[in-house]
């Protein structure tokens, strides 16, 4: 009788390569010496093929489906923390669709493809529910710092709550603990970044809370992970501008790279800064970026990952108009409307999703709309004319510009067909109530339109970092992408999701997705893998 061991080495290695490159491959290597060599070769080839496919852009999307309906599954969330340790991906916290936050910890077994909720044994305090925190893995421990809690809907006009908590989860003993720290403590912050360098955790930027207000930061704080002592690190005078929601990439124990981020309303960053951590005063250096036209967009709400001297960023399809291009067009239209007479309004280009501004109405008061009037000891308010100059107002709300990456334009003919269908449906309901025979209009034969390809989906952008540590002329370069960066099987566009690297694959989880039927945004718990397409031998 023929057995699996009678297969050639090439066929057996191909079969082992189809398994998840985690515990299953390690278990196959325990069968015999031949299987051990084939499993080692399969894992090595999978890593090499993945790195080559990343450089060439030859990847594909695969969606994970739960094995059954009763299997435990994590709730939908966004702005959460994600980290991979061995063969498990850990997810902590995040925000929900109901403007609430989580403090639970979940583990996704990459070998069995199942979710498990991590509990804390013993009398140990849990972290506060929060989002936009940082979580790094160091020697079998998950270190969580900072974060924020979104304000409740009522009463309105409340400020977000920032945290300066430091919690550590022991993966072996399965419990949280709160380290005792006697050194100066960093301020409460969120939207910052963190990486591990040797025995210390390095934190940069973020939204920080001071004694007077909440502001953006470009400070660097270091935490000794053995003594749990904080230190505000001194750096060179030339440094990046204050920012939040940027990328922090660990290059080695002495270098890290800061990419993108946002420094306020309509103030995004696409620059890259190299930090050298050698002397007592760390030095910053801005790195030239080549081929920016092929770079990723919105590098503050889209996730990123570092794989083998390549920076991988998820973003908007590059063939679609960018958000700031739409915003600038609307701003130019408002200025043109104030400059030219009203009879020329119909000839100008306008965003179809924006209502025409009310030119006759006076500008809204600075403290209008139910806001508290400034009291006698409050800080002086800026001049209204200056505020209107820097931020031109329209009668429509600013939510017309929010989440513009999700918007899909519809022609007037499509809207007319929808309204006619709604009227016909209403007429049939009235005829049914009156007992009249239903008269179903015969539709006119129309040619079947060609199937429209979905454009508002995830796109992949790759930046080459192989020359970032060059001693004389360091630089980074964005690679050219095909089809706007859209890969086969790409899901619907989401923001504020997580992207981590596994063994020969990338894992994307969660995020905010637009509900096309209701027009709102919901947090999902979808799990996708970006991997190399399987070949047939």
């Amino acid at each position: 009788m023929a057995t699996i061991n009678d297969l050639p080495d090439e066929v057996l290695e191909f079969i082992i390569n189809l398994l998840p490159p985690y515990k299953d491959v390690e278990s196959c290597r325990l069968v015999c010496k031949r299987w051990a060599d084939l499993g080692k070769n399969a894992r090595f080839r999978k890593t090499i093929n993945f790195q080559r496919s990343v450089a060439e852009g030859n990847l594909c999307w695969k969606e994970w489906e739960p094995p059954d309906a009763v299997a435990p599954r994590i709730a939908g969330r966004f702005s959460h923390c994600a980290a991979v340790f061995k063969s498990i991906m850990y997810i902590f916290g995040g925000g929900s669709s109901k403007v609430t936050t989580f403090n639970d910890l979940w583990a996704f077994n990459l070998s069995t493809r199942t979710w498990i909720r991590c509990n804390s044994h013993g009398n140990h305090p849990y972290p506060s529910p929060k989002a936009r925190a940082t979580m790094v893995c160091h020697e079998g421990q998950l270190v969580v710092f900072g974060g924020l809690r979104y304000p409740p809907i009522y009463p309105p006009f409340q400020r977000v709550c920032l945290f300066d908590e430091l919690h550590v989860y022991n993966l072996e003993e399965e419990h949280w603990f709160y380290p005792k720290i006697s050194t100066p403590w960093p301020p409460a912050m969120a939207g910052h970044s963190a990486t591990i360098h040797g025995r210390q955790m390095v934190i940069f930027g973020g939204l920080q809370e001071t004694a007077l207000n909440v502001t953006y930061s470009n400070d660097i704080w270091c935490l000794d992970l053995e003594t749990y002592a904080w230190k505000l690190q001194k750096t060179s005078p030339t440094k990046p501008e204050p920012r939040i929601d940027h990328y922090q990439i660990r290059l080695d124990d002495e270098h890290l790279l800061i990419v993108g981020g946002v420094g306020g309303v309509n103030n995004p960053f696409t620059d890259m800064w190299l930090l050298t951590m050698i002397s007592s005063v760390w030095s910053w250096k801005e790195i030239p970026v080549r081929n920016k036209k092929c770079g990723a967009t919105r590098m503050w709400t889209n996730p990123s990952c570092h794989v083998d001297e390549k920076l991988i960023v998820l973003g908007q399809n590059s063939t679609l108009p960018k958000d700031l291009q739409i915003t600038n067009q609307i701003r130019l239209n408002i200025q043109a409307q104030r400059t030219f007479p009203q009879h020329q309004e119909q000839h100008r280009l306008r965003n179809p999703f924006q209502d025409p501004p009310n030119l006759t109405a006076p500008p809204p008061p600075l403290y209008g709309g139910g806001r508290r009037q400034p009291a006698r000891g409050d800080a002086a308010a800026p001049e209204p004319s200056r505020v209107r100059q820097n931020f031109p107002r329209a009668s429509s709300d600013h939510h017309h510009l929010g989440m513009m990456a999700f918007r899909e334009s519809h022609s007037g003919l499509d809207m007319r067909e929808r309204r006619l269908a709604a009227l016909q449906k209403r007429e049939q309901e009235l005829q049914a109530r009156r007992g009249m025979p239903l008269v179903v209009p015969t539709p006119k034969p129309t040619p079947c339109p060609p199937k429209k390809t979905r454009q508002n989906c995830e796109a992949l952008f790759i930046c080459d970092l192989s020359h970032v540590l060059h001693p004389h002329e360091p630089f980074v370069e964005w690679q050219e992408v095909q089809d706007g960066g859209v890969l086969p099987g790409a899901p619907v566009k989401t923001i504020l999701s997580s992207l981590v690297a596994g063994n020969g694959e990338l894992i994307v989880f969660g995020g905010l997705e637009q509900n096309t039927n209701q027009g709102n945004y919901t947090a999902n718990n979808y799990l996708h893998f970006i991997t190399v397409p399987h070949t047939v031998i």
Side-chain angles (χ1 to χ4, degrees):
M1 178 182 294
T3 61
I4 191 173
N5 289 324
D6 297 332
L7 295 175
D9 290 348
E10 295 79 6
V11 178
L12 188 56
E13 181 179 337
F14 176 80
I15 295 176
I16 297 176
N17 192 40
L18 297 177
L19 299 174
Y22 302 99
K23 287 186 178 181
D24 294 341
V25 176
E26 297 298 328
S27 300
C28 291
R29 296 182 60 185
L30 301 177
V31 175
C32 60
K33 186 178 183 302
R34 180 194 178 197
W35 282 51
D37 296 337
L38 293 177
K40 182 179 179 180
N41 294 339
R43 189 165 185 173
F44 176 76
R45 291 179 185 273
K46 194 177 188 68
T47 303
I48 296 299
N49 291 338
F50 179 72
Q51 295 175 358
R52 184 187 301 112
S53 299
V54 168
E56 299 174 355
N58 183 23
L59 299 170
C60 66
W61 290 80
K62 292 184 179 180
E63 183 178 1
W64 174 81
E65 295 291 343
D68 51 64
V70 298
R73 193 172 182 182
I74 187 173
R77 61 193 66 200
F78 65 95
S79 296
H80 49 275
C81 303
V84 174
F85 179 70
K86 294 183 178 180
S87 61
I88 298 178
M89 178 184 67
Y90 294 94
I91 300 294
F92 170 78
S96 69
S97 303
K98 304 299 181 182
V99 202
T100 57
T101 49
F102 300 96
N103 68 339
D104 52 351
L105 179 66
W106 285 78
F108 183 77
N109 193 316
L110 296 173
S111 297
T112 60
R113 307 297 202 197
T114 54
W115 285 104
I116 302 174
R117 180 166 181 173
C118 303
N119 297 319
S120 182
H121 302 289
N123 188 16
H124 299 280
Y126 274 81
S128 300
K130 51 189 174 181
R132 300 176 73 178
T134 55
M135 181 174 67
V136 294
C137 186
H138 175 69
E139 296 181 354
Q141 294 180 342
L142 299 177
V143 184
V144 179
F145 176 73
L148 62 83
R149 182 175 66 241
Y150 296 104
I153 301 178
Y154 184 84
F157 308 115
Q158 295 191 67
R159 196 173 66 178
V160 296
C161 179
L162 300 177
F163 295 98
D164 59 354
E165 299 176 344
L166 176 67
H167 284 83
V168 181
Y169 186 82
N170 192 308
L171 297 176
E172 183 178 358
E173 300 178 2
E174 297 183 350
H175 69 81
W176 291 98
F177 68 91
Y178 191 82
K180 296 181 179 180
I181 302 175
S182 59
T183 56
W185 198 278
M189 65 178 67
H192 53 284
S193 57
T195 50
I196 298 294
H197 299 266
R199 52 178 285 180
Q200 62 181 355
M201 178 177 68
V202 180
I203 292 178
F204 170 76
L207 185 68
Q208 295 186 2
E209 185 175 14
T210 62
L212 299 178
N213 55 5
V214 176
T215 181
Y216 299 112
S217 172
N218 58 355
D219 295 335
I220 290 183
W221 285 86
C222 300
L223 174 67
D224 193 315
L225 296 175
E226 295 184 1
T227 61
Y228 293 105
W230 285 100
K231 180 183 68 173
L232 180 60
Q233 180 62 42
K234 296 181 179 180
T235 60
S236 58
T238 303
K239 60 179 65 177
E241 295 185 37
R243 63 190 68 196
I244 62 173
D245 297 334
H246 46 274
Y247 309 146
Q248 182 169 326
I249 304 168
R250 179 190 182 276
L251 301 176
D252 52 35
D253 287 344
E254 298 177 348
H255 298 88
L256 63 83
L257 188 68
I258 299 298
V259 181
V262 63
V265 179
N266 286 343
N267 187 23
F269 297 111
T270 58
D271 53 352
M272 299 190 185
W273 289 78
L274 177 66
L275 178 63
T276 304
M277 303 173 287
I278 296 179
S279 60
S280 59
V281 179
W282 294 354
S283 60
W284 286 103
K285 182 179 181 180
E286 186 173 4
I287 304 299
V289 181
R290 300 182 179 179
N291 202 14
K292 282 189 176 182
K293 63 179 181 180
C294 298
T297 59
R298 298 176 58 89
M299 289 194 294
W300 68 93
T301 58
N302 297 315
S304 68
C305 186
H306 182 218
V307 178
D308 186 44
E309 297 183 345
K310 295 290 189 298
L311 172 64
I312 301 177
V313 181
L314 296 182
Q316 177 183 326
N317 186 346
S318 60
T319 60
L320 300 178
K322 298 179 175 59
D323 296 348
L324 292 181
Q325 293 177 352
I326 301 176
T327 307
N328 292 334
Q329 181 63 47
I330 295 175
R331 182 175 299 174
L332 293 176
N333 294 338
I334 296 175
Q335 295 177 357
Q337 191 179 35
R338 293 175 176 175
T339 304
F340 297 102
Q342 294 186 5
H343 67 271
Q344 297 181 2
E345 179 182 357
Q346 58 183 354
H347 300 290
R348 68 181 182 87
L349 180 63
R350 185 174 63 86
N351 182 12
F353 295 99
Q354 181 191 11
D355 297 334
N358 187 5
L359 300 179
T360 61
L366 186 61
Y367 290 92
R371 293 184 180 270
R372 180 181 64 87
Q373 297 292 337
R376 180 176 293 180
D378 292 348
E383 298 179 3
S385 60
R386 185 177 304 174
V387 174
R388 289 194 297 272
Q389 265 188 343
N390 295 338
F391 304 98
R393 291 178 177 268
S395 62
S396 58
D397 296 336
H398 286 284
H399 71 270
H400 289 285
L401 302 181
M403 307 287 185
M404 191 64 72
F406 290 115
R407 297 195 182 276
E408 295 179 359
S409 59
H410 301 282
S411 61
L413 183 61
D414 295 340
M415 297 298 297
R416 182 175 180 275
E417 295 294 337
R418 292 183 181 181
R419 293 174 181 174
L420 289 177
L423 291 176
Q424 292 176 0
K425 183 178 179 180
R426 182 59 178 171
E427 183 180 1
Q428 294 176 8
E429 292 178 356
L430 294 176
Q431 291 177 357
R433 290 181 181 180
R434 298 172 182 173
M436 299 174 58
L438 297 179
V439 179
V440 181
T442 58
K444 298 180 180 180
T446 55
C448 182
K451 187 176 180 181
K452 183 180 179 180
T453 59
R454 185 177 60 190
Q455 295 181 341
N456 194 15
C457 53
E458 294 283 7
L460 194 73
F461 300 90
I462 302 173
C463 183
D464 185 10
L465 306 179
S466 58
H467 299 86
V468 70
L469 295 179
H470 194 276
H472 303 293
E473 296 182 359
F475 68 91
V476 297
E477 184 176 6
W478 289 98
Q479 298 182 2
E480 296 184 2
V481 294
Q482 298 180 356
D483 300 329
V486 179
L487 301 176
V492 177
K493 181 72 183 74
T494 58
I495 61 173
L496 302 176
S497 57
S498 62
L499 175 65
V500 293
N503 293 336
E505 60 186 3
L506 302 176
I507 307 108
V508 183
F509 170 74
L512 276 178
E513 179 183 351
Q514 184 186 24
N515 191 343
T516 56
N517 297 329
Q518 301 178 2
N520 56 359
Y521 307 94
T522 57
N524 64 60
N525 59 352
Y526 301 149
L527 190 65
H528 294 84
F529 294 89
I530 304 177
T531 182
V532 182
H534 288 302
T535 57
V536 180
I537 60 175

